[in-house]
Amino acid sequence: MATKKKENNEDKLMTMRHSCAHVLAEAVQKLYPGTKIGFGPATEEGFFYDFDLPKPISSDNFGKIEKEMKKIIAANNKFEREVVTKAEAKKIFKDQDLKLEHIDDLPEGEEITIYRHGDFVDLCAGPHVESTKEIGAFKLTKTAGAYWKGDANNKQLTRIYGTAFFTQEELDEYFTRLEEAEKRDHRKLGKELGIYTMSEMAGVGLPMYLPNGAIIIRKMQEWLRNDLIDRGYQEVITPHIYNADVWKTSGHYDFYKENMYFFNINEGTEDDPKLSEYGVKPMNCPGHVMLYKAQQRSYRELPIRFFEFGTVYRHEMSGVVHGLLRARGFTQDDAHVFCTREQLVDEVIDILKLVDHIMSEFNFEYEAEISTRPEKSIGTDDMWEHATNVLKQACETHKLKYEINEGDGAFYGPKIDIKVKDAIGRTWQCSTVQVDFNLPERFDLEYKTKDNTMERPWMLHRAIFGSIERFLGILIEHYAGALPLWLAPVQVAIIPIADRHLDAAHDLKKKIYEVGGRVDVYEDSEPLRVKIAKAQAQKIPYMIVMGDKEVESGEIAVRDRQKGDLGKMSVDDFVKLIKEASKH
């Protein structure tokens, strides 16, 4: 059931990609004498290397570089590791300004390792493949500018990206997936389907929902809200801003301030100003903690489950903002559970059941990862051991496959991260369950036990969608914009052939609308084929063409977005179909 992260195909792939990056650096140095090299790591998508080049290059040069790389790989040179002193390293890299600067920045006494293959040498911690011939199929993909060590005050270098796989077949499959991902890009589809927009005037990373998008978001929230209430959750609403004292108590002021927005409010008078500092919330937990603390709590009340669709704001760098997937303003389907030590395992099991319910609805396959105690942490050994065992027990009870990510938990508790796989095989991290030893302590939370003593409650953070914006972006790409019937902003397009069919079309619209359906009548004076193409482009689940036969017979010809023509159907049967979908 449980596995630790170890040397596997993924690790071997990263090692091979790192080795390919070194081959790229050697090829560029050979083809462009005088090149200074920066860093060249492997990445999830491939690898890159940063260069200070004697002359500009672009993707037009990739063919020549790849040809040189293939020669180097065919030479079958071994990757050899050496440990050197600072003085030796400076001698080896005497002509490499960037490397010399980096060597100077290394702490005294730190082990310095280099790797050689053929005539090439680089500062590197490794690991690498045995020899260049073990490098599989590769391709260079793009160039970009990158500041040395990521500092905008430093020199701008040329970054060359590439990717590599063990076989040509895997490489070809990767580029096929990229093409498919481009077609599914939620930023493109979000605009075409009228879901959301971004405004330069409003600011970076602040999505604004058009009517179609608002319908989808509200349907997602309504669906989850009803389910949570059935599961014993209570909905709460908390402010968007708090006095800085809240963030000082929670620890965010000291440890998260650079990711937050702070401002001053004059709470005095014009003659006697009194400035108070406030912060916009980057998360909802302090509000829920204060709601728990607002009254004395008894063991009889526990577990208490607060949930909120809370909009939060985080200061993300503009370069990493990416549509709905990474925004500065977003809404979390946030919940916090306050319970006793004994109740913890049942609460985690119930959360995993909820995760399964949500992910199964969208046909997502998923796995779990349990992150354990890091070197720096708070809480006792007993608390950590109990909480970690609870997470494992919950996964095993739920028959959920999980990996152990040793030492990668938060300083305040272990967690479960849920990773889902979409329709084209990409993995996304969505839901999370997090034990928190920190906030109950900082806010001095208590409850009265059976024995009339006071004890600290255990606290769980829990999100299923995570960010609703991000989850919607994933859904758009997963379904290529063709959302399920219950979630589609427009479920039915009625297309009258001529103006004389408009009354019948609107009568049908009214019947569908009365059972909670969402329907548009295409009234514009356009050719029938144009109207049909428009409905198809909007990925509307059902299309009904209304002509003389339909008006006279009372039956309608229904076209399904995926299955095509469904044939004739009575109006009552079709309305019933939409009514059932609207109950979701």
Side-chain angles (χ1 to χ4, degrees):
M1 173 70 72
T3 57
K4 290 188 177 181
K5 287 194 168 180
K6 55 188 178 181
E7 182 75 354
N8 54 27
N9 278 345
E10 185 178 332
D11 299 319
K12 290 175 182 175
L13 181 61
M14 295 294 276
T15 298
M16 189 265 282
R17 285 173 171 173
H18 186 191
S19 303
C20 196
H22 278 227
V23 169
L24 165 63
E26 181 183 6
V28 171
Q29 279 194 316
K30 283 185 173 180
L31 294 171
Y32 305 96
T35 293
K36 312 295 184 186
I37 56 174
F39 296 130
T43 68
E44 282 189 19
E45 293 296 315
F47 59 86
F48 67 78
Y49 220 107
D50 291 339
F51 301 99
D52 183 7
L53 294 160
K55 64 178 184 177
I57 65 172
S58 69
S59 57
D60 293 339
N61 305 100
F62 284 175
K64 183 167 69 171
I65 297 170
E66 288 171 348
K67 186 176 179 181
E68 187 64 34
M69 289 173 69
K70 288 175 181 176
K71 285 184 188 176
I72 295 166
I73 290 168
N76 198 23
N77 289 314
K78 290 188 176 300
F79 282 91
E80 296 176 322
R81 179 179 183 271
E82 295 178 33
V83 179
V84 297
T85 64
K86 253 192 175 184
E88 289 170 334
K90 285 186 173 183
K91 187 175 180 181
I92 292 167
F93 296 99
K94 63 182 186 298
D95 298 323
Q96 290 289 327
D97 300 343
L98 301 176
K99 295 296 180 183
L100 290 174
E101 181 185 326
H102 183 63
I103 292 165
D104 284 334
D105 289 342
L106 295 173
E108 288 297 332
E110 180 175 306
E111 181 180 84
I112 300 174
T113 58
I114 62 171
Y115 272 84
R116 298 180 185 273
H117 72 270
D119 298 327
F120 182 76
V121 61
D122 195 5
L123 289 169
C124 184
H128 285 282
V129 295
E130 286 292 319
S131 72
T132 56
K133 209 161 188 180
E134 291 182 35
I135 295 171
F138 69 90
K139 186 170 181 62
L140 302 182
T141 55
K142 64 179 179 179
T143 63
Y147 293 108
W148 169 235
K149 293 192 172 181
D151 188 338
N153 295 315
N154 289 340
K155 180 183 288 189
Q156 189 173 57
L157 308 177
T158 298
R159 177 170 293 178
I160 299 179
Y161 288 90
T163 193
F165 289 86
F166 295 118
T167 66
Q168 185 64 43
E169 183 181 11
E170 289 172 314
L171 184 67
D172 292 341
E173 286 174 358
Y174 169 76
F175 282 104
T176 299
R177 285 198 306 273
L178 277 189
E179 288 175 14
E180 185 61 31
E182 189 174 347
K183 294 176 194 171
R184 294 168 178 258
D185 191 323
H186 76 279
R187 294 168 298 177
K188 170 177 169 286
L189 290 173
K191 182 177 180 180
E192 291 173 358
L193 301 177
I195 293 173
Y196 82 101
T197 187
M198 296 280 196
S199 165
E200 290 183 13
M201 179 181 289
V204 174
L206 299 170
M208 294 188 292
Y209 288 101
L210 295 157
N212 281 354
I215 289 170
I216 299 168
I217 291 291
R218 294 303 179 217
K219 287 299 293 184
M220 290 171 67
Q221 291 178 344
E222 177 189 331
W223 174 55
L224 184 55
R225 176 183 286 111
N226 292 337
D227 196 270
L228 291 176
I229 290 170
D230 287 344
R231 293 171 189 265
Y233 283 78
Q234 303 172 77
E235 185 167 14
V236 297
I237 300 173
T238 58
H240 287 239
I241 63 171
Y242 292 117
N243 188 288
D245 288 345
V246 171
W247 305 113
K248 289 173 183 176
T249 301
S250 70
H252 290 93
Y253 197 89
D254 292 327
F255 302 109
Y256 201 73
K257 188 176 182 181
E258 69 277 7
N259 299 108
M260 295 178 63
Y261 300 98
F262 282 92
F263 58 94
N264 290 318
I265 292 178
N266 182 4
E267 296 187 310
T269 65
E270 189 174 340
D271 296 330
D272 183 21
K274 179 189 173 185
L275 293 180
S276 295
E277 190 176 22
Y278 280 73
V280 181
K281 67 178 180 182
M283 50 200 66
N284 301 295
C285 11
H288 294 191
V289 169
M290 288 187 287
L291 288 174
Y292 177 94
K293 193 176 172 65
Q295 62 192 72
Q296 184 173 304
R297 303 292 181 177
S298 161
Y299 73 94
R300 296 178 186 277
E301 296 175 75
L302 303 185
I304 292 172
R305 309 179 186 98
F306 289 147
F307 82 93
E308 176 177 14
F309 295 113
T311 302
V312 299
Y313 300 89
R314 298 180 186 175
H315 183 205
E316 301 282 6
M317 298 298 289
S318 59
V320 301
V321 170
H322 182 80
L324 299 179
L325 301 182
R326 191 156 182 179
R328 287 179 174 169
F330 53 92
T331 302
Q332 293 179 308
D333 67 314
D334 220 350
H336 296 90
V337 177
F338 304 90
C339 63
T340 67
R341 177 187 177 106
E342 294 73 27
Q343 292 168 335
L344 194 66
V345 65
D346 287 337
E347 290 305 306
V348 176
I349 290 171
D350 285 346
I351 291 168
L352 293 180
K353 288 178 181 176
L354 176 58
V355 168
D356 187 66
H357 172 62
I358 300 295
M359 299 308 165
S360 298
E361 176 66 32
F362 300 111
N363 299 315
F364 282 130
E365 297 177 15
Y366 66 93
E367 293 182 354
E369 180 179 271
I370 297 177
S371 296
T372 61
R373 189 175 191 173
E375 286 185 19
K376 293 182 180 179
S377 62
I378 63 168
T380 65
D381 291 346
D382 174 64
M383 292 168 77
W384 274 92
E385 183 178 359
H386 178 66
T388 305
N389 287 337
V390 159
L391 300 185
K392 292 177 182 177
Q393 183 184 340
C395 287
E396 287 162 9
T397 301
H398 194 61
K399 295 182 172 56
L400 174 59
K401 182 180 177 183
Y402 66 92
E403 284 189 332
I404 297 294
N405 192 4
E406 291 284 6
D408 203 40
F411 76 92
Y412 52 81
K415 63 176 178 173
I416 300 174
D417 286 324
I418 301 295
K419 299 185 175 182
V420 304
K421 187 177 285 188
D422 71 9
I424 58 173
R426 296 172 300 181
T427 300
W428 305 89
Q429 202 269 294
C430 290
S431 310
T432 187
V433 186
Q434 173 80 63
V435 183
D436 189 341
F437 308 135
N438 180 50
L439 290 182
E441 189 74 28
R442 281 180 171 269
F443 283 87
D444 193 25
L445 301 189
E446 292 181 324
Y447 70 93
K448 186 176 284 188
T449 69
K450 283 183 183 179
D451 302 322
N452 286 325
T453 59
M454 303 306 291
E455 282 194 17
R456 191 85 69 212
W458 287 65
M459 179 178 175
L460 288 168
H461 300 258
R462 184 244 69 186
I464 309 300
F465 294 146
S467 154
I468 293 179
E469 279 75 6
R470 185 169 186 271
F471 198 81
L472 174 55
I474 293 168
L475 285 182
I476 291 170
E477 298 197 2
H478 177 58
Y479 288 107
L483 295 172
L485 176 63
W486 69 273
L487 203 52
V490 179
Q491 297 168 313
V492 185
I494 303 175
I495 305 174
I497 293 176
D499 288 349
R500 64 180 179 274
H501 306 125
L502 278 172
D503 287 345
H506 281 287
D507 286 344
L508 178 57
K509 176 182 177 178
K510 184 180 178 183
K511 290 178 181 178
I512 295 170
Y513 183 78
E514 285 173 349
V515 299
R518 299 182 294 278
V519 56
D520 273 354
V521 175
Y522 284 20
E523 298 187 23
D524 292 345
S525 298
E526 297 174 321
L528 182 62
R529 58 180 174 75
V530 172
K531 292 181 180 181
I532 291 173
K534 188 186 295 184
Q536 288 174 329
Q538 287 298 298
K539 303 184 186 291
I540 296 172
Y542 290 115
M543 208 184 309
I544 295 170
V545 176
M546 186 72 73
D548 291 336
K549 289 182 181 178
E550 289 74 25
V551 172
E552 291 167 8
S553 69
E555 288 189 325
I556 51 176
V558 181
R559 180 176 179 80
D560 183 281
R561 174 179 61 196
Q562 294 174 319
K563 299 176 184 176
D565 290 327
L566 300 181
K568 295 288 185 180
M569 188 180 296
S570 75
V571 169
D572 288 345
D573 284 346
F574 183 74
V575 170
K576 184 179 177 181
L577 184 155
I578 299 299
K579 182 179 180 179
E580 289 303 311
S582 300
K583 287 180 182 177
H584 201 290

